[in-house]
Amino acid sequence: MQLGIDFTDRHVVVFGGTTGINFGIADAFARQGACVTVASRKRENVDAAVNALSQHGAQVHGVVADVRDFEAVGVAFAESVAKFGAIDVLISGAAGNFLCEAKDMSSNGFKVVVDIDLVGTFHVLRQAHEHLRKPGAAVINITAPQSFVPMRFQAHASAAKAGVDQFTRVLALEWGEEGIRLNSIAPGPIDGTEGFRKLMAPTAEDREFARRQVPLQRFGTLDDIANLALFLASPYASYISGAVVPCDGGGALESVKPALEAAGKLLA
Ligand code: COA
Ligand code: NAP
C-alpha cells in the first residue's frame, strides 16, 4: 500500500536506485508523477530499472556511475539536471556490505564499505549541492540501525552508517539556511532485498526466530520504506530536518544479537 502524494514534474534523483529498497523508493516517486533519475555501477541494473520505471508512464533517466568516483558522480548530476532541471528530491542509498568479524577483516574490506557508504554519500551530496532547488529541496540518506545499535560482524557498516547519520545532521545545520532539508531513514530488515539476504537468518527456522525478534512480529516491505521517503520529501514534513528515522517495526529498541547470531552461521 503506497501513500498518494503528488510529485508531478518534480525531479527526483535516487543514487544507488536500481535495485532493492532504493529502487522501491524510485518506483514510488515515479508512480506519483515525478521525473526520476536512477544511478548505479552496473549498466544492466540501470537499464532494467529504467525499463521498469518507464512502465508507469514516468519520465526516467538512467546513469551509470560509481559513488566512489567523485568526477563520475558530478557528470551524472550534470546529465540529469540538463534533462529534468533542478533537483527537488535527492535520495542517496548506495551501499555495500558483508558479514565479517573485525579481527578477520582486511584493511581493504573495511575500506571498501566506508568508501561506498560514507565517502560515496559525501560525493553524492557534495556534487548535488549546486543543483538542488533552493529553497525547497529535500535530501534523504539511507542508513541502517547499525548506525546506533552496535552489531557483531558489522564493524565496517556500523562505522560507515554512523558517519552518514552525523554527516546528515551537520549538513542540516549548514544547508538549512538555503531552505534544504536533510534526513536519514534507517530501515530494519526488509524482506526480499540483497541486504536482507546477506545479513539475515539463513534457514527457515532462523528466519522465523529473527521475525519474532521484531516487536511488530514481521519483516519490513519496500512500501514501508518508500512511504516514509514520500512523506519526508513532501510538504507534510516541511519542518523536519536533521532527523534519523528508524523504520524497523521497533527492532532497534533492543539488542538484535540473537538474529545476528543466526546470521553468523553464514560464516561458519
Ligand atoms: N568477507 C570478508 N571480506 C570480504 C568479503 C566477505 N564476505 N567480501 C569482500 N571482502 C573484501 C575483499 O576480500 C576485499 O579485500 P582484499 O582486497 O583485502 O581481499 C575487499 O572486501 C573488497 O572486495 P571487492 O570484491 O574487490 O569489492 P567490490 O568493490 O567489487 O565490491 C562489496 C564491494 C564487497 C561491498 C560487494 O559486496 C558489493 O558490491 N556490494 C553491493 C551490494 C550489497 O552489498 N548490497 C547490500 C547493501 S546492505
Ligand atoms: P541493494 O539492492 O544491493 O542496493 C544497493 C544499490 O546500490 C544497488 O542499486 C547497487 O547497484 C548500488 N550500488 C552499490 N554499490 C555502488 C557504488 N559503489 N556506486 C553506485 N551504486 C552502487 O541493497 P538493499 O538491501 O536494497 O539496500 C539498500 C539500502 O538500504 C542500503 O543503503 C542499505 O545499507 C540499506 N539497508 C538495507 C536493509 C535491508 O534489509 N535490505 C536494512 C538496513 C539498511 P549496482 O550494483 O548496479 O551498483
Side-chain angles (χ1 to χ4, degrees), residues 92-186:
S92 178
N97 205 347
F98 52 81
L99 291 169
C100 189
E101 270 197 279
K103 69 177 171 53
D104 299 325
M105 200 180 288
S106 71
S107 169
N108 197 36
F110 188 87
K111 185 173 181 297
V112 76
V113 171
V114 171
D115 277 350
I116 298 171
D117 294 26
L118 179 55
V119 182
T121 301
F122 171 77
H123 287 168
V124 170
L125 271 61
R126 173 69 181 80
Q127 292 285 28
H129 179 255
E130 68 178 286
H131 303 297
L132 292 171
R133 191 175 302 285
K134 304 175 191 77
V139 178
I140 300 170
N141 291 323
I142 307 300
T143 61
Q146 288 92 312
S147 162
F148 40 91
V149 181
M151 289 187 193
R152 291 163 192 269
F153 317 109
Q154 287 286 276
H156 47 359
S158 301
K161 294 295 198 181
V164 172
D165 283 343
Q166 198 66 327
F167 180 57
T168 301
R169 297 182 184 104
V170 171
L171 291 201
L173 293 175
E174 293 187 357
W175 296 0
E177 63 194 39
E178 295 177 286
I180 300 168
R181 297 184 298 108
L182 295 102
N183 295 291
S184 286
I185 294 176

Side-chain angles (χ1 to χ4, degrees), residues 83 90 161 181 187 213 250 252:
K83 202 165 171 63
L90 171 66
K161 294 295 198 181
R181 297 184 298 108
Q213 305 309 304

Side-chain angles (χ1 to χ4, degrees), residues 22-237:
N22 306 325
F23 175 77
I25 294 172
D27 185 73
F29 279 102
R31 285 172 191 266
Q32 301 306 323
C35 302
V36 178
T37 298
V38 286
S40 78
R41 288 170 305 178
K42 297 179 188 154
R43 164 62 61 193
E44 66 269 25
N45 287 345
V46 172
D47 289 347
V50 168
N51 191 36
L53 295 172
S54 302
Q55 308 296 319
H56 307 312
Q59 292 193 70
V60 186
H61 178 57
V63 194
V64 176
D66 190 317
V67 292
R68 291 169 285 190
D69 182 340
F70 186 65
E71 301 306 323
V73 171
V75 170
F77 281 115
E79 262 184 35
S80 70
V81 167
K83 202 165 171 63
F84 295 138
I87 299 165
D88 297 287
V89 180
L90 171 66
I91 315 285
S92 178
N97 205 347
F98 52 81
L99 291 169
C100 189
E101 270 197 279
K103 69 177 171 53
D104 299 325
M105 200 180 288
S106 71
S107 169
N108 197 36
F110 188 87
K111 185 173 181 297
V112 76
V113 171
V114 171
D115 277 350
I116 298 171
D117 294 26
L118 179 55
V119 182
T121 301
F122 171 77
H123 287 168
V124 170
L125 271 61
R126 173 69 181 80
Q127 292 285 28
H129 179 255
E130 68 178 286
H131 303 297
L132 292 171
R133 191 175 302 285
K134 304 175 191 77
V139 178
I140 300 170
N141 291 323
I142 307 300
T143 61
Q146 288 92 312
S147 162
F148 40 91
V149 181
M151 289 187 193
R152 291 163 192 269
F153 317 109
Q154 287 286 276
H156 47 359
S158 301
K161 294 295 198 181
V164 172
D165 283 343
Q166 198 66 327
F167 180 57
T168 301
R169 297 182 184 104
V170 171
L171 291 201
L173 293 175
E174 293 187 357
W175 296 0
E177 63 194 39
E178 295 177 286
I180 300 168
R181 297 184 298 108
L182 295 102
N183 295 291
S184 286
I185 294 176
I190 306 303
D191 207 355
T193 62
E194 180 66 8
F196 186 94
R197 190 187 67 70
K198 280 189 165 181
L199 305 187
M200 267 293 145
T203 69
E205 192 189 2
D206 294 334
R207 184 186 150 92
E208 179 55 16
F209 182 74
R211 182 188 64 75
R212 288 200 306 269
Q213 305 309 304
V214 182
L216 288 182
Q217 302 288 293
R218 70 168 176 89
F219 297 124
T221 66
L222 295 182
D223 280 354
D224 288 327
I225 306 302
N227 282 333
L228 179 55
L230 288 169
F231 167 71
L232 285 175
S234 79
Y236 298 111

